[in-house]
Amino acid sequence: MCSPRCRRCAPSTVSRALPPALAVPCEQATRSVERGTPLADVMRAQAQDARDSSKQQLIELGGRRELMMMVPVVFLVLPVTVLFAIFPGLGVLNMSI
């Protein structure tokens, strides 16, 4: 078994040695074992948090890309559509005058 001093230093060592994406789940798992809470529930909550985080990042990336995809539509397709709509009308007006 670990001494009380070892248990106190373990989370700080983990947080320095691992990247933040792994340090937080490790610290939460350590705390849940120390407190006696079911580890499966903690892991399930961590997995749901990771899914929510990745979904949020994907939505933000999609929002940025959506604006980039609109540029060709606004500057290429829309003007051509407007010209196709206006020229036949101008032709009819010139013929009737």
Side-chain angles (χ1 to χ4, degrees):
M1 283 263 133
C2 289
S3 67
R5 181 177 175 200
C6 179
R7 286 185 184 168
R8 276 185 274 134
C9 72
S12 64
T13 305
V14 167
S15 65
R16 283 181 285 164
L18 293 175
L22 292 176
V24 173
C26 288
E27 288 178 11
Q28 289 176 350
T30 304
R31 285 190 202 123
S32 71
V33 169
E34 288 174 355
R35 293 179 184 159
T37 58
L39 190 58
D41 293 339
V42 172
M43 295 295 213
R44 203 171 290 122
Q46 288 176 353
Q48 185 62 39
D49 290 344
R51 283 187 211 106
D52 292 341
S53 174
S54 66
K55 185 190 295 184
Q56 183 65 28
Q57 289 175 351
L58 189 61
I59 289 172
E60 289 174 2
L61 181 64
R64 281 186 237 121
R65 297 287 167 104
E66 181 181 12
L67 291 175
M68 289 175 25
M69 289 188 300
M70 283 180 58
V71 169
V73 171
V74 169
F75 291 112
L76 297 174
V77 176
L78 186 63
V80 170
T81 306
V82 170
L83 290 176
F84 275 121
I86 290 176
F87 274 141
L90 289 176
V92 169
L93 287 175
N94 284 337
M95 289 177 61
S96 65
I97 293 179

